[in-house]
């Protein structure tokens, strides 16, 4: 898989709003009165199930409206680093000023607004909340708050910056490794700032092993929490508790992983001649009506429609 960096440049707010809705989430935008010509430029890359972008933008306002939150079928975690310039983030009823050498993380499943009062450059990362579920315990205390770009957060920022600058060709396993590494670094940074204790050293390793087992055996339509617990010699309650500590459940993780795998195949040129049914079966869906129903519930459209819109 080629983790190519797509360059972009926009000279009007409407085009920028449309691009953000397509690559990230729908937002309402406007340019303050008295501001000259608007422009936005930068680069964007997708790796595994994440999107990262570095952007330089002139002053503008953006808002995640309540209506967009209600209509969303999936939630994401959004990480924002100002590289140059600053912005004001309104989240959870509070206003925070975000400066260079600071970062923050918040959920797109809530209303928020960002005000950029000067030309500024940002690095933004978005990942599915199911992928970043391990961040949730620490995130509950710190979402929206400015945090210092030091230690693990600094390494994560440097890694993403390098990914955008290099535009390296990465295979699927490498992309997954980079995403997991970024999440682990952010988890470490959040725990340091929130004083949330790290889980016991053995449980995260076992959870990651189980999650990897699920990813490698998605084609098995009989893969279930009960089967997984039997394979790993543990009770279903213990398996459930392990996933719940990371902000998820075994069944939800299994379903989400299958859906995301199907989406990845829909967007992959090498799979363009394969039918929707064939891809669904490879991702472990034995019943097409069930697949179509849960896909629409998650992404707001049918599998076929998603494929037509996103296959480049």
């Amino acid at each position: 898989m080629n983790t190519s960096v797509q360059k972009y440049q926009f000279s009007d707010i409407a085009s920028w709003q449309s691009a953000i809705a397509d690559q990230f989430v729908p937002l309402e935008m406007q340019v303050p009165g008295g501001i000259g010509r608007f422009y936005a430029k930068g680069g964007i890359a997708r790796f595994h199930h994440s999107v990262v972008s570095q952007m330089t933008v002139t002053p503008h306002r953006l808002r995640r409206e309540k209506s967009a939150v209600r209509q969303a079928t999936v939630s994401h975690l959004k990480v924002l680093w100002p590289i140059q310039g600053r912005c004001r983030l309104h989240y959870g009823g509070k206003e925070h000023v975000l400066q260079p050498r600071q970062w923050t993380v918040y959920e797109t499943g809530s209303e928020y607004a960002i005000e950029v009062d000067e030309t500024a450059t940002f690095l933004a990362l978005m990942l599915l909340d199911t992928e970043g579920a391990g961040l949730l315990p620490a995130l509950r205390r710190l979402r929206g708050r400015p945090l210092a770009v030091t230690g693990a957060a600094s390494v994560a920022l440097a890694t993403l910056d390098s990914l955008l600058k290099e535009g390296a060709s990465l295979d699927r396993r490498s992309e997954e490794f980079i995403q997991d590494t970024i999440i682990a670094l952010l988890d470490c940074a959040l725990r340091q700032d929130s004083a949330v204790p790290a889980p016991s050293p053995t449980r995260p390793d076992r959870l990651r092993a189980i999650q990897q087992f699920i990813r490698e055996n998605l084609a098995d339509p009989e893969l279930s929490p009960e089967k997984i617990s039997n394979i790993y010699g543990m009770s279903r309650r213990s398996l459930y508790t392990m996933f719940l500590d990371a902000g998820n459940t075994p069944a939800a993780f299994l379903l989400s992983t299958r859906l995301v795998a199907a989406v990845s195949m829909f967007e992959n040129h090498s799979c363009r001649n394969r039918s929707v049914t064939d891809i669904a079966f490879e991702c472990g869906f034995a019943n097409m009506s069930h697949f179509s129903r849960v896909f629409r519930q998650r992404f707001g459209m049918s599998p076929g429609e998603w494929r037509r819109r996103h296959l480049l």
Side-chain angles (χ1 to χ4, degrees):
M1 183 179 296
N2 186 9
T3 311
S4 60
V5 178
Q6 298 179 356
K7 300 295 184 180
Y8 59 80
Q9 183 168 338
F10 300 98
S11 58
D12 64 277
I13 193 73
S15 297
W16 176 238
Q17 178 173 314
S18 177
I20 290 297
D22 183 52
Q23 299 291 347
F24 289 95
V25 293
L27 299 169
E28 293 297 321
M29 298 186 182
Q30 63 180 25
V31 177
I35 300 297
R37 184 174 67 88
F38 171 85
Y39 77 85
K41 62 180 180 180
I44 187 169
R46 292 180 176 272
F47 64 102
H48 201 46
H49 305 140
S50 300
V51 183
V52 61
S53 177
Q54 182 167 309
M55 59 195 79
T56 298
V57 293
T58 52
H60 69 290
R61 310 282 188 268
L62 63 85
R63 178 178 295 277
R64 177 74 163 158
E65 299 282 3
K66 182 182 295 185
S67 58
V69 172
R70 288 176 176 173
Q71 293 172 12
T73 56
V74 61
S75 182
H76 299 84
L77 297 180
K78 188 82 172 287
V79 187
L80 188 66
W81 287 271
I83 306 299
Q84 182 177 354
R86 65 175 193 168
C87 68
R88 285 177 288 161
L89 171 65
H90 301 266
Y91 187 89
K94 297 181 180 180
E95 177 182 311
H96 301 286
V97 177
L98 204 59
Q99 308 270 8
R101 300 303 302 170
Q102 291 182 327
W103 69 289
T104 193
V105 58
Y106 50 92
E107 296 166 284
T108 65
S110 301
E111 298 174 69
Y112 63 87
I114 297 177
E115 300 178 29
V116 181
D117 296 322
E118 57 188 353
T119 299
T121 300
F122 300 94
L123 190 76
L125 169 70
M126 187 176 76
L127 61 153
L128 287 169
D129 56 357
T130 52
E131 295 289 331
L135 303 178
L136 294 178
L139 177 62
R140 292 189 182 100
R141 298 187 184 186
L142 296 175
R143 50 192 166 194
R145 287 174 48 184
L147 306 169
V149 180
T150 58
S154 181
V155 176
L157 173 62
T159 302
L160 291 171
D161 184 59
S162 177
L163 183 70
L164 282 170
K165 288 180 178 178
E166 297 295 330
S169 179
L170 302 173
D171 59 26
R172 188 183 188 90
R173 186 174 294 275
S174 297
E175 289 189 352
E176 182 179 344
F177 176 78
I178 290 175
Q179 177 182 275
D180 290 347
T181 300
I182 295 296
I183 291 173
L185 288 167
L186 295 179
D187 178 56
C188 180
L190 284 171
R191 289 183 184 279
Q192 288 175 343
D193 280 300
S194 67
V196 172
S200 63
T202 56
R203 175 167 284 192
D205 292 340
R206 196 173 197 195
L207 176 60
R208 281 192 289 270
I210 293 174
Q211 290 173 333
Q212 186 60 31
F213 173 81
I214 290 173
R215 295 186 184 102
E216 293 174 353
N217 292 273
L218 286 180
D220 179 4
E222 297 183 356
L223 189 63
S224 65
E226 183 176 6
K227 184 173 183 177
I228 294 167
S229 61
N230 289 336
I231 290 173
Y232 281 86
M234 59 195 305
S235 68
R236 287 192 62 181
R237 179 180 293 275
S238 296
L239 181 69
Y240 181 87
T241 301
M242 181 182 295
F243 272 83
L244 193 62
D245 286 346
N248 210 336
T249 68
F253 179 85
L254 177 58
L255 176 60
S256 177
T257 304
R258 280 181 163 147
L259 287 171
V260 171
V263 164
S264 296
M265 294 181 71
F266 287 155
E267 297 176 353
N268 193 328
H269 268 280
S270 65
C271 299
R272 66 185 310 163
N273 294 324
R274 299 181 62 179
S275 68
V276 171
T277 301
D278 185 34
I279 290 175
F281 286 165
E282 182 164 331
C283 295
F285 292 98
N287 184 296
M288 275 303 296
S289 61
H290 170 67
F291 172 62
S292 297
R293 184 175 67 256
V294 296
F295 192 98
R296 184 179 291 277
Q297 289 173 348
R298 178 68 177 271
F299 299 107
M301 64 185 73
S302 70
E305 184 179 0
W306 177 280
R307 193 178 201 183
R308 288 191 296 272
R309 288 191 183 187
H310 293 84
L311 184 61
L312 301 178

